[in-house]
Amino acid sequence: MLSIFLKRLIKQGSLVVVYPDGQTIHYGHESSPAVTMHFHARSLPRKLLINPDLALGEAYMDGTLTVDQDDIYGLIELLVVNLTLQPNVWHYRWPAHLRRLYRRLSQFNPAGRAQRNVAHHYDLSGALYDLFLDADRQYSCAYFREAGDTLEAAQRNKKTLIATKLLLAPEHRVLDIGCGWGGLGLHLARDHGARVTGVTLSHEQHKIAEERSQTEGLDDRAQFLLQDYRDIDGAFDRIVSVGMFEHVGVPHYKEFFATLRDRLTDDGVALLHTIGRADGPGATNPWIANYIFPGGYSPALSEVLAIAEQSGLYVTDVEVWRLHYAETLKKWRNRFEANLDRVRSIYDEQFCRMWRFYLVASEVAFRHNGHVVFQIQLAKKQDAVPLTRDYLTIRERLDEPATNAGETISDGSIRATKRWFS
């Protein structure tokens, strides 16, 4: 049955499967360079037939599935490209439809469960993240303004663009929801004169963010709390959340946007940066949910805006980043592979294969399977931000933060907007 399915599926490229009994079958175009995978357990074809999204990753992790030259990227890309060409393959799609039926239950993330989910991924050894992230530990999509940008340059671009969209001025009070290891918050405090409060549920991230703030002498401007965002009090001129909304869960979207509304000053601006899907609402891949991001979900824009519209906030700008995360993940994957021996000194071989599969599958999803990044700007008032996006171009052209006293670029743009209306 699996062989029949593969014959129908592989229309582009070439796949060779060596079954447990030694039988070798070729699928697709024999003239194309083939990806060859080997099954080492008699139960594997049945598992792949019943739940391919889960079984493929598990088999690669435990070694019951191997690929010649360890070309797991070639295998996943081949399968995803062909599934994209045939989106209505019933046998493959029915588990996804079933997952959508109970996704609200799997994404129910009250505070206690949310902290356990965060710890599963973000409280791993810090040495692991040092081996594939940039020095600032930016664990979210970078922004490649030029094709030749390094990972470090692209991550700086991302932070600069976020600060620009926030229309930051010195002494602005900023809430950073899901602050990670503190890189963005420290950038906003150091380079833009903001007063930052960052919150995270990860003990490891909180410890490092606090240490970095003290080491850089910014602890009077940047504080980091081990706290759920729903428990934060006070008012903030700016709110930013990067790479955290994927952990909120659909049942909590109203709560999230209500928190933005309640914590934001009347003239405040918020920016939400999140992974999303361009092909409408769906469900999280079960392997990713089990092994990488429990409770996580990347939403469609229609799901986010439908709730934001009911929150009392104006959506003032939406930008879609398409292949930026694919390029980010490619650079992470190359660094991970280059440091594989050092990773093995921290974790076992099964973990290494799991992490490699995660980076590869994520990159392919952004390159071929409709995953993108959304940046959504929100405000309580329509005139809290300029009416055109010219202020983005001006700030990028000057390529300098607004840290001096007096009128900033954003201040002038907003005043001009208000004069125009009056």
Side-chain angles (χ1 to χ4, degrees):
M1 289 180 68
L2 178 64
S3 186
I4 292 171
F5 170 68
L6 290 174
K7 285 179 181 177
R8 292 176 177 172
L9 175 66
I10 306 300
K11 302 298 184 183
Q12 182 172 309
S14 179
L15 175 67
V16 173
V17 179
V18 181
Y19 287 88
D21 60 3
Q23 183 181 19
T24 300
I25 302 179
H26 196 291
Y27 306 95
H29 301 284
E30 295 193 19
S31 58
S32 304
V35 175
T36 300
M37 65 175 172
H38 301 257
F39 295 164
H40 304 287
R42 296 186 65 85
S43 61
L44 184 54
R46 173 177 52 82
K47 291 179 179 178
L48 288 170
L49 195 65
I50 294 173
N51 195 352
D53 279 333
L54 179 63
L56 185 71
E58 288 186 334
Y60 180 72
M61 283 172 57
D62 64 24
T64 55
L65 182 151
T66 58
V67 187
D68 284 0
Q69 287 79 53
D70 205 10
D71 186 17
I72 190 63
Y73 186 96
L75 175 62
I76 295 177
E77 184 178 46
L78 176 67
L79 295 173
V80 168
V81 166
N82 279 279
L83 284 166
T84 303
L85 293 173
Q86 302 179 71
N88 296 315
V89 179
W90 71 268
H91 153 260
Y92 179 78
R93 296 301 177 188
W94 73 263
H97 292 308
L98 188 62
R99 286 193 296 272
R100 282 195 61 183
L101 294 177
Y102 64 85
R103 68 175 188 154
R104 296 186 70 88
L105 179 62
S106 65
Q107 294 172 33
F108 178 62
N109 292 319
R113 186 176 183 182
Q115 184 151 32
R116 290 193 298 273
N117 290 341
V118 165
H120 177 91
H121 191 92
Y122 297 101
D123 283 348
L124 296 172
S125 170
L128 168 69
Y129 293 102
D130 287 336
L131 294 177
F132 70 94
L133 299 180
D134 65 309
D136 197 39
R137 281 203 188 178
Q138 290 295 305
Y139 195 26
S140 60
C141 180
Y143 186 65
F144 293 85
R145 293 176 62 178
E146 305 289 342
D149 281 347
T150 64
L151 179 62
E152 285 72 18
Q155 292 291 12
R156 284 195 301 272
N157 294 342
K158 185 260 303 286
K159 289 178 286 187
T160 298
L161 182 57
I162 286 172
T164 305
K165 289 185 176 184
L166 286 172
L167 297 129
L168 274 181
E171 302 305 317
H172 269 158
R173 296 159 297 171
V174 179
L175 174 62
D176 183 359
I177 299 177
C179 61
W181 294 277
L184 176 62
L186 293 173
H187 170 81
L188 300 181
R190 179 182 58 245
D191 296 347
H192 298 269
R195 295 193 175 275
V196 179
T197 300
V199 293
T200 177
L201 290 176
S202 165
H203 289 270
E204 185 73 13
Q205 289 183 336
H206 173 252
K207 179 182 72 174
I208 292 174
E210 282 282 88
E211 290 173 355
R212 292 179 66 184
S213 180
Q214 293 171 11
T215 299
E216 293 193 34
L218 291 169
D219 47 319
D220 63 329
R221 285 195 164 273
Q223 64 167 334
F224 299 97
L225 307 176
L226 185 65
Q227 191 170 356
D228 192 286
Y229 74 95
R230 290 165 282 200
D231 297 330
I232 289 290
D233 293 321
F236 297 87
D237 305 295
R238 302 291 186 262
I239 300 177
V240 63
S241 182
V242 178
M244 177 271 181
F245 192 70
E246 302 90 327
H247 303 283
V248 169
V250 172
H252 303 278
Y253 285 179
K254 287 185 179 179
E255 195 174 17
F256 180 87
F257 284 104
T259 300
L260 295 190
R261 179 198 63 220
D262 294 344
R263 300 279 72 82
L264 203 60
T265 59
D266 287 343
D267 289 323
V269 178
L271 186 75
L272 175 62
H273 172 119
T274 179
I275 296 171
R277 55 186 73 224
D279 56 355
T284 303
N285 175 283
W287 186 87
I288 291 290
N290 278 18
Y291 293 97
I292 306 299
F293 294 118
Y297 173 66
S298 301
L301 191 60
S302 57
E303 295 175 286
V304 181
L305 295 186
I307 303 300
E309 290 167 355
Q310 303 169 19
S311 68
L313 295 170
Y314 285 101
V315 176
T316 52
D317 189 81
V318 177
E319 184 176 5
V320 182
W321 297 7
R322 283 152 290 128
L323 292 171
H324 292 274
Y325 219 152
E327 292 303 311
T328 304
L329 284 154
K330 180 180 179 180
K331 291 188 181 295
W332 289 349
R333 177 168 59 90
N334 289 341
R335 292 185 178 201
F336 179 83
E337 296 288 354
N339 289 296
L340 195 54
D341 288 339
R342 296 174 65 186
V343 179
R344 290 192 180 105
S345 70
I346 305 170
Y347 292 104
D348 61 18
E349 183 63 28
Q350 187 175 54
F351 179 93
C352 292
R353 293 170 74 84
M354 178 190 74
W355 209 260
R356 182 193 291 126
F357 192 91
Y358 151 57
L359 292 175
V360 167
S362 299
E363 180 184 343
V364 172
F366 281 95
R367 213 172 281 287
H368 299 290
N369 204 29
H371 275 59
V372 294
V373 169
F374 301 127
Q375 279 201 342
I376 305 171
Q377 185 191 61
L378 306 112
K380 283 187 175 180
K381 295 182 177 179
Q382 292 196 66
D383 61 356
V385 299
L387 292 190
T388 73
R389 303 182 91 242
D390 294 349
Y391 72 98
L392 298 177
T393 306
I394 294 170
R395 181 73 64 81
E396 286 188 5
R397 186 169 69 243
L398 293 179
D399 197 28
E400 60 183 17
T403 54
N404 297 322
E407 183 177 286
T408 66
I409 295 168
S410 58
D411 291 336
S413 299
I414 293 171
R415 273 196 282 276
T417 295
K418 291 182 177 179
R419 283 198 303 270
W420 183 67
F421 270 115
S422 62

